[in-house]
Amino acid sequence: MGLPVFARQSLAEAGLNRLVPDSSFRDIEGRLAGYRTGSLFTPPSKEGTVIFPGFDGAAEWGGPAFDPETGLLYVNANEMPWILTMVDAKAPPTASSTVGEAGKVLYASNCMVCHGAGRMGGGNFPSLIGVGRKYSDSQFVSLVSSGRRMMPAFKQLSQGEKEALAAFVLERSAAAKKPFVNVGKKPVDPYYRLPYGATGYNKFLTKEGYPAVAPPWGTLTAIDLGRGVIVWRDTLGDNPEFSAKGIHTGTENYGGPVVTAGGAIVYCGYE
Ligand code: HEC
């Protein structure tokens, strides 16, 4: 006996968000038609593959709560469609590239997957627009070398490559015009020479910024593990605009529940 399914696992037209005006609905409908959709394991594609219930969809790392007295498992879940789009990797910078061009190419092959094609960020990854005011070139180079929390270290990049990235990302226009010299050039590990890049973690949203999928967007489900059935399921979290109209959508949630000996469930987390 398997666990019952507690989150939707594929997105088709019938599952789109109807809470938005008609023109906005037609927009998501048209976009969905251009994407690749299917099951949970549909591979990434150049047209964009719908990842549903999401990169961190359904149950995630907050973990469920279990009550040994009743045998009930309480699990919080997300249902958010994301779009994974592949692009051909750019050719490596050459001796005739400017620093700015080299930085752009290096950005696409090393940073775009998290910080996005337009450096706007997405998901849990910050936007890099305007970081030129926040970091000096040397602070930037040391951040890229060491990484920070969920940001990996880029020890495989040479000093010249990190400086080219600094000129591009921090928008140093004078430095960007200079010819690219690959100072401290390192042999390229074939591991890093990937044929494709990805344009980042992009949610599939309506024009208004709501998930393109019909609610629920976040749920809490009680599953009887002994019988393998769902005992109850409810939305978790509320969108103030819709709840004012009596529509309970649930929200994206990244925490976890706790169940007390008396059977009370406390949800701890953030949306
Ligand atoms: C695997 C995902 C990932 C990749 C790839 C990645 N980053 Fe990041 N980056 C992050 C995360 C997450 C943070 C936030 C770090 C923190 O919490 O302190 C971050 C933070 C940053 C910041 C600081 C932003 C700020 O506002 O303070 C800069 C600058 C940056 N990244 C540049 C880059 C560059 C340049 C590259 C490519 C060489 C890159 N990142 C590749 C995930 C990534």
Side-chain angles (χ1 to χ4, degrees), residues 106-107 109-115 124-129 131 134-135 140 143-144 147-152 154 156-157 162 165-166 169-170 201:
L106 290 161
Y107 178 84
S109 51
N110 294 282
C111 325
M112 179 175 74
V113 61
C114 291
H115 293 290
N124 299 311
F125 304 116
S127 159
L128 299 183
I129 304 294
V131 283
K134 201 165 160 187
Y135 293 94
F140 175 93
L143 171 63
V144 171
R148 202 171 73 198
R149 303 198 291 172
M150 273 173 73
M151 156 115 172
F154 287 85
Q156 74 277 18
L157 296 179
K162 288 177 207 161
L165 277 165
V169 175
L170 305 179
Y201 291 81

